[in-house]
Structures are given as C-alpha cells and as structure tokens.
Amino acid sequence: MITLRAIGRNSKGAKLRTIFRLAISQRQLSSSSTTNTNTTNDDSSKDENRNITKCVSDAEIKKSVFISQSYDIFTNLALEDWLYRHFDFSHHHVLLLWANEPCVVIGRHQNPFLETNVSKIMDNGIILARRSSGGGAVFHDRGNLNCTFFTPRERYNRKYNLNILTRALFREWAIKADINQRDDIVINEKKISGTAAKLGHPNAYHHCTLLVNANKNHLGDSLVREEAIYIGKATASKKSPIKNLCDVNSTVNIAQLLSAIGYEFLRTSATELEDGGNIQTMKQRGFQLINPTEKWFPGIDVLRHELSSWEWIVGKTPTFSVEKELALKTDGDKQLIMKLSVSVENGLMADINIVMPNGDRLPVISQFQNKSFNEKNLNNIVGALKLASTDNVKQAINGL
C-alpha cells in the first residue's frame, strides 16, 4: 500500500530532502566540470548524457508522485521551475500534481492583453501569471487539477502522459476521453484538458490541466479582452468549447482524481504504456506531500520573486501596438471618427498617436508615455481626448 509522506514531518521526509540535495550536487558537479570547456566539449558532454539516459532500462527507473501543498500560482510555478533546473530525472521520473487559487496563466510568448482584460481580472481579485512554457492562456482555480510530468529530454513523451490521464479517467469512472490532434483531451469534442511543455537539456517537462469543477463563469469572463485591435507577433490562444468532468460524472472530485492519476502513473512502466498493476506500483517511491519552501528547495524564493514580478509578467510581453476607435466632437452634433494608436515596448507605452481619417498620425504628448500599459490607462487617454472639440483637438493632443 502506498502512503502519503509529508516533507519535514518524519524521517521519510528527510529522506526525500536528501534526494533533492543529491540532485543539486550532481547537477552542480556536472556544471562545474564543464565550466572551462569549449562548445565542442559541451556538445560531446550532451551527447554522452543522452547515451547514458538511453541506456537506462525501465526497470532501473523509479517513479514518484509529488503533491504540492501550496495553492499559490507563483510558488507552484517556482517549484516546477526548481525541479526542472535542479532535479536528476535520469533514474527517477516525477509527476507533480498541484492546484491554485483563481488566476489566469499565460504562455511564455503571449501578450496578456490579447488574452484577458488585465485591469478587470485584477479588480476582481484574480491573479495574472506568466509561465516558462509556451502554449495558450488558461484559467485556474481550486476546481482545476494541474499535472506536470518530468523526465529527461530524451524520454519526453507527450502522448504517453496524456494516455496516463485518459486511462485513469476510464479506470476510475469509465469516462472515455479522446486525445485530439492538438494534444487536448476532449469528451464529445469539448475540451477538458489543455497542454504545454518546456524542452531543455538535460530535463524536460510536459504539463496540462484537467477541468473538474472549475467556475465556468469566472473562466469565461476572465478570458475576454478589452475591445480593441491588437497588432503584434505574440502567440495567440485558440478558443475551444470546454467541459467540466463533473458534468460528465457528478461523482468526479479533485481528491479522488488526484489519487486515480497518481496510481495510474505509478502502475505504468516508465516509458511504455504497459500496466504493471500492484506489483509495479509497489516498486515505486509512491506519493509524497511537498511543501515548497526555501528550507527544502534552496533558491525557490528567488524564483518565485522573479515569476511574480511586473518585469516578467508584463515586461516580457512581445512588442505590440493597440488601436481603439476614437470619436471626437465636431460643430453641431456630428462626430469625427479617428483612431487612437499606442505602441507598447517592454510593457510600457512608447508612442501615442491619433490616426486621422486621411491616415495622418498626430503625436499625443501625454503623462502616460513610458507608463505601464493597461486597459485603464488606455481608456483614460480615450476619455480625455473625447472631451476635446475639433477646433481644440491639436491643443488637446499637445496638452493631454
């Protein structure tokens, strides 16, 4: 029987801490041994590591299911990043299970303002976060279970991971779910899970979500952006109809799902979808409760600080411009329709212009220049310009 082991509460927790310390030491040793080598030697070292990884048999690979005790998105993202950077997965594959308080999480290369109304969600107490992996924007709350599969890069297998999830659903509740061409898990063409990954050397991870009983009203409202035209090269999310697992089977719940997925992972061979049952399960390291603190994961506080900073969440936004229709008063009751154009670099408003009907661009001198871009600031500029009459538009532009 597999038991839950809490880090720091007993000697078994201390054993896991030793595993983490050993992983750090091995990684630091590997790094220091190549510090003074050239690129050719680095490439040779990578090839050697790949060969060693490939030579490890499934029987030599142990598995663990880590369960984060934090519901803070930045702490969980930092834990994910810490494991990716420091842990040795060559003989030990890990599935991390975690959940968060309400938040919107965007991909590494996304524009948050293209995915959500940042000002609105923050006013509603919903956190915005940017993760290190690619992919699209997702809404998290306590009704959404997140799964991160860690392996060496050479054993990265997205289909294997997704099949672990679908097999767990079928084994526990007889729910039949499919994996589509985009590697989403769907039921009757409605999405219950999205997916993203980070591939590096020597490690890689694949993470995905499972909608259990997420607040669909909050989800829908949180992924609606400000009405405007956004121009840029950021990765855009692809909208899909969604479904909660509890709408398929009302008995599905987070605690039972966590257990079902964990056991499915442990009972399955390390690289092949072969069910080893209880015999395979008993060979593994089981479930372990993880308290992601600086004491057990040295440097995690620094990672959390970086991931929660404005510079990372907003400042890393790819350069873009936004255009919003602007109606200025003319003589009588007529209106002159123009456009407000704002270019944004590193999250800051750089150039602010009014685009006239003939295409001429009139620069706006504003206190908002070099300030953080957000929907409130954009609408404040629009509101101020709407107060100007046509005769005074140039004066308003230069004195805003």
Side-chain angles (χ1 to χ4, degrees):
M1 182 177 180
I2 305 301
T3 59
L4 293 175
R5 300 199 290 268
I7 290 181
R9 294 183 181 175
N10 53 34
S11 60
K12 294 181 180 179
K15 181 180 178 181
L16 181 59
R17 183 184 180 187
T18 302
I19 294 172
F20 288 136
R21 298 289 188 187
L22 179 60
I24 296 173
S25 299
Q26 289 172 337
R27 183 62 50 78
Q28 289 174 340
L29 178 61
S30 174
S31 299
S32 62
S33 64
T34 58
T35 301
N36 296 321
T37 58
N38 56 28
T39 304
T40 302
N41 290 336
D42 288 342
D43 292 340
S44 298
S45 178
K46 286 182 180 179
D47 290 339
E48 183 178 351
N49 288 336
R50 292 189 190 109
N51 292 333
I52 292 172
T53 300
K54 290 179 180 178
C55 291
V56 178
S57 67
D58 275 20
E60 298 174 89
I61 300 171
K62 299 300 182 183
K63 285 183 165 185
S64 292
V65 178
F66 291 174
I67 304 171
S68 174
Q69 299 302 283
S70 174
Y71 294 101
D72 173 67
I73 178 58
F74 300 119
T75 299
N76 283 325
L77 289 176
L79 173 61
E80 204 177 43
D81 202 27
W82 192 100
L83 292 171
Y84 168 77
R85 295 186 186 197
H86 298 298
F87 207 86
D88 181 5
F89 299 107
S90 59
H91 292 76
H92 186 189
H93 291 185
V94 171
L95 168 59
L96 173 66
L97 300 175
W98 46 293
N100 299 307
E101 297 295 348
C103 57
V104 172
V105 187
I106 61 171
R108 181 184 184 97
H109 307 294
Q110 289 199 293
N111 179 345
F113 306 100
L114 189 63
E115 307 300 329
T116 183
N117 188 314
V118 176
S119 298
K120 180 179 178 181
I121 65 169
M122 293 184 73
D123 286 345
N124 291 335
I126 296 173
I127 295 169
L128 175 67
R130 182 188 298 274
R131 61 180 182 268
S132 296
S133 65
V138 290
F139 173 80
H140 290 182
D141 64 10
R142 297 280 286 271
N144 183 329
L145 181 64
N146 300 289
C147 312
T148 308
F149 297 84
F150 292 95
T151 64
R153 170 68 177 269
E154 289 68 36
R155 295 194 210 118
Y156 171 83
N157 188 335
R158 186 179 292 195
K159 293 294 186 185
Y160 171 96
N161 302 334
L162 295 174
N163 273 282
I164 293 291
L165 303 183
T166 57
R167 287 164 64 147
L169 291 173
F170 189 79
R171 190 184 302 277
E172 192 74 12
W173 291 283
I175 294 174
K176 189 179 185 305
D178 299 309
I179 303 167
N180 67 15
Q181 292 181 340
R182 291 177 52 203
D183 288 336
D184 297 328
I185 299 178
V186 297
I187 297 176
N188 296 327
E189 299 185 358
K190 289 192 174 181
K191 183 175 175 179
I192 63 168
S193 175
T195 198
K198 184 175 180 66
L199 306 179
H201 286 290
N203 294 334
Y205 66 76
H206 164 223
H207 52 192
C208 49
T209 60
L210 275 170
L211 293 170
V212 181
N213 59 344
N215 188 319
K216 288 193 286 189
N217 290 330
H218 287 173
L219 189 156
D221 291 344
S222 296
L223 299 179
V224 176
R225 69 181 187 224
E226 173 79 11
E227 288 189 12
I229 298 172
Y230 292 85
I231 304 167
K233 296 182 179 180
T235 302
S237 298
K238 295 182 180 179
K239 304 294 184 183
S240 302
I242 57 119
K243 180 185 286 287
N244 271 324
L245 283 166
C246 67
D247 295 331
V248 181
N249 185 322
S250 61
T251 66
V252 180
N253 60 82
I254 291 287
Q256 191 175 351
L257 179 63
L258 184 150
S259 177
I261 291 172
Y263 277 113
E264 194 68 37
F265 177 72
L266 295 173
R267 68 185 291 158
T268 306
S269 178
T271 62
E272 301 292 335
L273 289 167
E274 298 175 356
D275 183 10
N278 289 334
I279 294 176
Q280 177 75 9
T281 302
M282 293 302 294
K283 293 178 181 178
Q284 309 310 318
R285 294 182 177 173
F287 292 76
Q288 295 163 352
L289 299 178
I290 302 297
N291 186 15
T293 62
E294 184 71 19
K295 179 178 180 180
W296 304 106
F297 302 89
I300 195 172
D301 286 351
V302 173
L303 292 175
R304 189 195 180 281
H305 177 75
E306 292 173 353
L307 290 167
S308 62
S309 67
W310 180 93
E311 288 77 12
W312 170 254
I313 299 170
V314 179
K316 284 291 184 181
T317 302
T319 297
F320 71 100
S321 62
V322 57
E323 294 182 352
K324 195 170 179 68
E325 189 175 275
L326 178 65
L328 297 183
K329 297 177 182 179
T330 63
D331 296 334
D333 295 328
K334 295 182 179 180
Q335 289 185 324
L336 182 62
I337 305 300
M338 303 182 236
K339 288 181 182 178
L340 173 67
S341 175
V342 180
S343 64
V344 183
E345 299 176 4
N346 300 319
L348 302 176
M349 292 185 283
D351 296 322
I352 304 174
N353 294 279
I354 286 182
V355 182
M356 304 296 287
N358 63 1
D360 288 346
R361 301 176 73 88
L362 301 178
V364 175
I365 300 173
S366 169
Q367 61 179 334
F368 292 104
Q369 281 180 305
N370 297 318
K371 299 293 185 182
S372 178
F373 174 84
N374 58 52
E375 297 85 358
K376 284 184 177 179
N377 285 343
L378 179 67
N379 288 320
N380 282 338
I381 296 172
V382 171
L385 288 171
K386 281 183 177 180
L387 297 176
S389 66
T390 303
D391 293 338
N392 296 326
V393 68
K394 289 187 177 180
Q395 180 180 348
I397 291 170
N398 292 322
L400 181 65

